[in-house]
Amino acid sequence: TVETTTTAAAAAAAEWKPDIVLIDFGLASTSVTNSSSKKKSSSLSCHEERGVDLYVLERAFTTTHVGSDSLVDEVLRGYKSTCTSSDSVLQRLSAVRMRGRKRECFG
């Protein structure tokens, strides 16, 4: 069996040098709606979920791999270059980061 942690993935990347690595936390979901107001609400919710996914990924790397900030920056750069809703999702990521910092500071 293969250990599916960032440590195992980092070791594999150094050894195999893969071009593509897929990471799916499964928090964000997709849905189809007919109403434009439901679609807008669903879209905002989806962007929040994706922001949380990115935050979980960011925390997974930064808490287990010292000096991985440049890796996180590269992941976010790649995300921005491929995701059409990246501006909204990255704004949500900033909001999620702030909530996380408040929780760390104030319990």
Side-chain angles (χ1 to χ4, degrees):
T1 62
V2 176
E3 180 185 0
T4 55
T5 65
T6 57
T7 302
E15 185 177 330
W16 297 330
K17 299 181 182 178
D19 291 329
I20 299 173
V21 176
L22 301 176
I23 300 175
D24 180 9
F25 287 105
L27 299 177
S29 60
T30 59
S31 64
V32 178
T33 59
N34 294 329
S35 165
S36 63
S37 64
K38 283 184 181 179
K39 191 172 186 176
K40 183 175 182 180
S41 174
S42 176
S43 176
L44 293 176
S45 174
C46 183
H47 293 176
E48 174 76 13
E49 291 170 351
R50 289 177 183 174
V52 170
D53 273 352
L54 289 173
Y55 181 71
V56 170
L57 176 64
E58 179 179 73
R59 295 286 295 167
F61 278 116
T62 60
T63 59
T64 58
H65 304 289
V66 176
S68 64
D69 293 338
S70 61
L71 174 61
V72 172
D73 291 342
E74 185 62 21
V75 167
L76 295 178
R77 186 199 63 74
Y79 185 82
K80 186 169 178 63
S81 72
T82 59
C83 178
T84 57
S85 61
S86 65
D87 289 342
S88 177
V89 172
L90 293 175
Q91 286 175 355
R92 294 293 181 153
L93 171 59
S94 293
V96 171
R97 283 179 181 147
M98 292 307 296
R99 291 194 305 261
R101 286 191 182 106
K102 286 180 185 176
R103 192 174 318 122
E104 289 172 6
C105 291
F106 303 110

